Amino acid sequence: MLLFTTAAELRAYAEAERCAGRRLGLVPTMGALHEGHLQLVRAAAAACEVVIVSIFVNPTQFNNPEDLRLYPRLPEQDAAALAPAGCTALFMPAVAEMYPQPTVLHFDFGPLERVMEGAHRPGHFNGVATVVSKLFHLARPHAAYFGQKDFQQVAVVRQLVADLSFDLELISYPTIREADGLAMSSRNARLTPTARAVAPLLHRVLAQAALRVQGGVGPAEVQQHALAALAQEPQFTPEYFEVADAQTLQPIMGYEAGRAVVLCVAAHLSGVRLIDNVVVD
Ligand code: AMP
């Protein structure tokens, strides 16, 4: 597995591999890798001869400086996990390498970013779109792999790819969970043992809400019930629970045949912000 820290190295490598006729897959991450990331790397390796994984804790997508400061960083452990999963090149740039000058570009994804993560984390998707665009330009992959754990991010990146005509296939994979249902997340490492013990409630609430949606209970009632269930656990501070159209991500008033629904939740637990979602077809 090759290791690059400069944009020029990555660009030259990817260019040479593309010219040699090989298929390139890109998996953008912020590191502290777990099974959720590694399934994306394995999927890329199954379909592409060249698998580029980026590890970059992107400061421009953090709206909370404390969250950025405390974000887990485990470069050696990550590098050791990547080669066996099929990664051929790891790109680990410094902040100054990705941002040699402050960016001034602004993305506006319209209604897509006025809800949920976009509404609660000002500037978040601007930072995501900036760094993802940079990575797409540097690596020019044939395929890019993302996790549905960040459901809204996939929708935003899909819009980005369409609007800027990136010539790549956007592929997303389902959320990988711990045995007790908690969605794997690099931030889970920051949970205290008592917080970790109650953390699976987030997924249980989603699963129960999904059953209610399937049973025809109205979106407002599903939302109210879910927020009340979360409030039962004093360690949780819910930020939002939305019943939304899985395509547009806009909150819905009722259900329509043939339109999938996504239930999305964000909550704080012992100072850690967790998100999760489930899709109801
Ligand atoms: P991150 O390092 O958190 O920025 O995540 C990098 C990529 O891995 C993103 O596309 C995430 O959606 C994806 N990912 C993170 N956690 C999971 C998970 N539990 N299951 C599936 N994909 C995930």
Side-chain angles (χ1 to χ4, degrees), residues 32-76:
L33 302 179
H34 50 66
E35 227 6 74
H37 299 110
L38 295 177
Q39 75 155 344
L40 301 178
V41 180
R42 287 191 206 102
C48 305
E49 288 120 317
V50 174
V51 177
I52 300 164
V53 177
S54 61
I55 295 184
F56 180 59
V57 183
N58 175 33
T60 65
Q61 72 185 70
F62 283 79
N63 57 312
N64 176 349
E66 197 60 359
D67 189 26
L68 174 62
R69 192 178 69 79
L70 295 174
Y71 200 85
R73 289 158 216 249
L74 304 162
E76 285 92 18

Side-chain angles (χ1 to χ4, degrees), residues 157-189:
V157 175
R158 188 175 298 119
Q159 187 76 50
L160 180 77
V161 167
D163 282 5
L164 293 184
S165 305
F166 281 109
D167 186 16
L168 57 83
E169 201 182 338
L170 185 65
I171 299 171
S172 71
Y173 273 82
T175 303
I176 301 288
R177 301 179 178 283
E178 304 287 355
D180 59 12
L182 177 65
M184 288 192 183
S185 164
S186 306
R187 290 184 178 89
N188 291 352

Side-chain angles (χ1 to χ4, degrees), residues 107-143:
F107 293 86
D108 185 343
F109 292 96
L112 209 48
E113 68 162 86
R114 310 252 190 279
V115 293
M116 302 192 283
E117 292 304 280
H120 287 84
R121 300 184 69 189
H124 172 64
F125 285 123
N126 197 61
V128 168
T130 302
V131 80
V132 167
S133 299
K134 281 172 180 277
L135 292 168
F136 285 174
H137 282 303
L138 292 175
R140 290 182 53 208
H142 297 93

